[in-house]
């Protein structure tokens, strides 16, 4: 499999890739720089939206803008004006936490987790927000809330709290959004980095990004077995998603934060977005947030 650079831009902490099939754009965030990048794969042009606070994750909402997990809570981001409309901050009283990874579930709720900026205590939580903006705490006591994916039959949530070095599963109820029966299904050895972002492919297999591990790995979640590995040219591999016309282009984000100059000499592409075209695997497009932003659809650019 050939790993290609998507465009000539490097993030400090690139994360959360989302494929926009309607506009043929791959979108991702630079959490620490508070930026959203949208790259048009047809016109080969990148657009940047500056959010002016850290942005942990974005998901499409039904009017074509974004719902986002931000430094100071959950909000909408207008793709045209970069206006941020905060919805709620379930941790307004917790200084030192920010939102990190997030995604919509099959029913269109937006799920996102928090983490202490210090990354050294289980002060984070995972929340879900439904289309009426009602927010529920789903998981507590997490340190660096990260990857999420739902099984193809929509009965299981897979979840990663990075320092735990594991992937856990929960029985998930699409109608109520309830999760129960936590099970540890995958362990990642420290020598291989820590598990970060995650996606699921059309065969129900999980693709896990290895932060500090120079790779992605592909797992059968039922058997708890690793099936494949894909070596990357950078150490801090952060997340991945499938996109492209046939859903078989695998996009991979990365980071360069806290790499020394010497380390950067060995991985000059750290922070870039990569793609493996015609990967031989495919995934479905991500779920959209069922709640609507106050704005009408953005004009076609
Ligand atoms: C977080 C980083 C963290 C990394 C590894 C990322 O999702 O945004 O702050 O260092 O995961 O745990
Ligand atoms: Ca992450």
């Amino acid at each position: 499999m050939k790993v290609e650079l998507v465009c000539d831009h490097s993030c400090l902490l690139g994360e959360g890739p989302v494929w926009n099939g309607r506009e043929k754009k791959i979108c991702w965030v630079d959490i620490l720089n508070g930026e959203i990048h949208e790259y048009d794969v047809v016109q080969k042009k990148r657009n940047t939206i500056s959010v002016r606070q850290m942005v942990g994750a974005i998901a499409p909402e039904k009017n074509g803008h974004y719902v986002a997990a931000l430094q100071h809570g959950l909000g909408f981001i207008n793709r045209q004006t970069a206006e941020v409309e905060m919805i709620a901050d379930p941790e307004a009283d917790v200084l030192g936490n920010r939102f990190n990874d997030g995604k919509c579930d099959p029913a269109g709720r937006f799920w996102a987790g928090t983490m202490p900026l210090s990354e050294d205590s289980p002060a984070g939580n995972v929340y879900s927000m439904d289309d009426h903006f009602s927010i529920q705490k789903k998981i507590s006591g997490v340190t660096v809330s990260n990857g999420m994916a739902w099984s193809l039959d929509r009965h299981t949530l897979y979840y990663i709290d990075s320092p735990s070095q594991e992937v856990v599963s929960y029985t998930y109820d699409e109608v109520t959004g309830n999760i129960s029966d936590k099970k540890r299904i995958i362990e990642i050895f420290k020598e291989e980095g820590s598990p970060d972002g995650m996606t699921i492919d059309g065969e129900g297999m999980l693709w896990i990004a290895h932060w500090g591990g120079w790779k992605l790995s592909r797992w059968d979640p039922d058997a708890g077995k690793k099936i494949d590995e894909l070596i990357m040219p950078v150490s801090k591999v952060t997340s991945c998603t499938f996109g492209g016309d046939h859903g078989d282009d695998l996009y991979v984000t990365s980071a360069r934060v806290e790499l020394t100059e010497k380390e950067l000499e060995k991985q000059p592409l750290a922070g870039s977005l990569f793609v493996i075209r015609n990967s031989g695997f495919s995934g479905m497009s991500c779920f959209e947030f069922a709640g609507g932003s106050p704005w009408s659809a953005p004009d076609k650019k």
Side-chain angles (χ1 to χ4, degrees):
M1 288 202 261
K2 200 173 130 220
V3 179
E4 290 174 52
L5 190 65
V6 172
C7 62
D8 183 20
H9 176 82
S10 148
C11 292
L12 201 49
L13 182 51
E15 283 272 4
V18 171
W19 172 253
N20 177 340
R22 225 169 289 143
E23 297 179 28
K24 299 192 195 304
K25 286 177 184 158
I26 181 71
C27 310
W28 69 109
V29 296
D30 185 342
I31 299 181
L32 298 176
N33 280 324
E35 287 176 341
I36 299 169
H37 300 286
E38 304 179 325
Y39 182 78
D40 184 319
V41 303
V42 179
Q43 295 184 38
K44 301 195 180 346
K45 267 199 204 140
R46 184 174 53 88
N47 174 50
T48 300
I49 301 168
S50 273
V51 185
R52 296 169 304 274
Q53 61 173 300
M54 288 186 224
V55 51
I58 50 170
E61 56 88 32
K62 69 178 188 201
N63 297 338
H65 296 276
Y66 294 121
V67 63
L70 297 148
Q71 187 176 352
H72 302 299
L74 303 175
F76 287 116
I77 297 169
N78 187 307
R79 289 181 55 206
Q80 230 147 15
T81 63
E83 193 183 327
V84 177
E85 171 92 11
M86 294 308 292
I87 301 167
D89 186 357
E91 297 194 344
D93 54 343
V94 190
L95 297 175
N97 271 14
R98 68 161 167 89
F99 270 96
N100 199 42
D101 210 340
K103 236 177 225 177
C104 288
D105 75 2
R109 302 177 192 88
F110 183 50
W111 292 57
T114 60
M115 53 174 270
L117 289 162
S118 58
E119 301 186 12
D120 63 356
S121 67
N125 302 283
V126 177
Y127 301 90
S128 77
M129 175 170 69
D130 69 13
D131 56 340
H132 294 98
F133 311 120
S134 149
I135 295 178
Q136 281 184 17
K137 191 186 283 187
K138 293 294 185 183
I139 306 172
S140 55
V142 301
T143 304
V144 180
S145 187
N146 254 316
M148 294 174 198
W150 282 267
S151 62
L152 303 184
D153 68 6
R154 304 178 165 200
H155 292 319
T156 305
L157 163 68
Y158 302 108
Y159 174 70
I160 292 170
D161 176 11
S162 294
S164 73
Q165 298 291 135
E166 60 189 33
V167 182
V168 296
S169 71
Y170 292 88
T171 300
Y172 161 78
D173 184 327
E174 183 179 349
V175 177
T176 60
N178 287 343
I179 54 170
S180 57
D181 194 21
K182 177 181 175 184
K183 288 195 184 94
R184 174 177 167 212
I185 55 164
I186 292 169
E187 186 189 353
I188 304 286
F189 298 120
K190 278 219 166 100
E191 307 79 72
E192 301 182 74
S194 42
D196 195 335
M198 165 169 67
T199 195
I200 190 161
D201 68 24
E203 293 166 33
M205 303 296 135
L206 297 174
W207 288 78
I208 299 169
H210 290 237
W211 172 271
W214 298 85
K215 66 185 171 192
L216 288 176
S217 58
R218 180 175 186 249
W219 293 75
D220 177 341
D222 295 328
K225 276 218 166 91
K226 181 159 51 179
I227 324 168
D228 253 309
E229 278 192 355
L230 175 60
I231 302 302
M232 298 294 298
V234 294
S235 63
K236 294 184 170 180
V237 184
T238 54
S239 192
C240 57
T241 197
F242 288 94
D245 284 342
H246 309 290
D248 63 349
D249 296 334
L250 178 59
Y251 285 95
V252 187
T253 51
S254 71
R256 64 179 150 80
V257 62
E258 280 166 10
L259 292 178
T260 64
E261 248 166 67
K262 225 174 153 186
E263 287 170 319
L264 280 169
E265 274 171 27
K266 289 189 198 127
Q267 42 175 310
L269 297 177
S272 303
L273 175 71
F274 302 93
V275 63
I276 298 94
R277 287 186 220 282
N278 315 313
S279 65
F281 303 94
S282 64
M284 13 160 227
S285 48
C286 66
F287 300 111
E288 246 179 38
F289 181 49
S293 71
W295 310 298
S296 51
D299 303 337
K300 285 255 161 60
K301 270 182 236 166

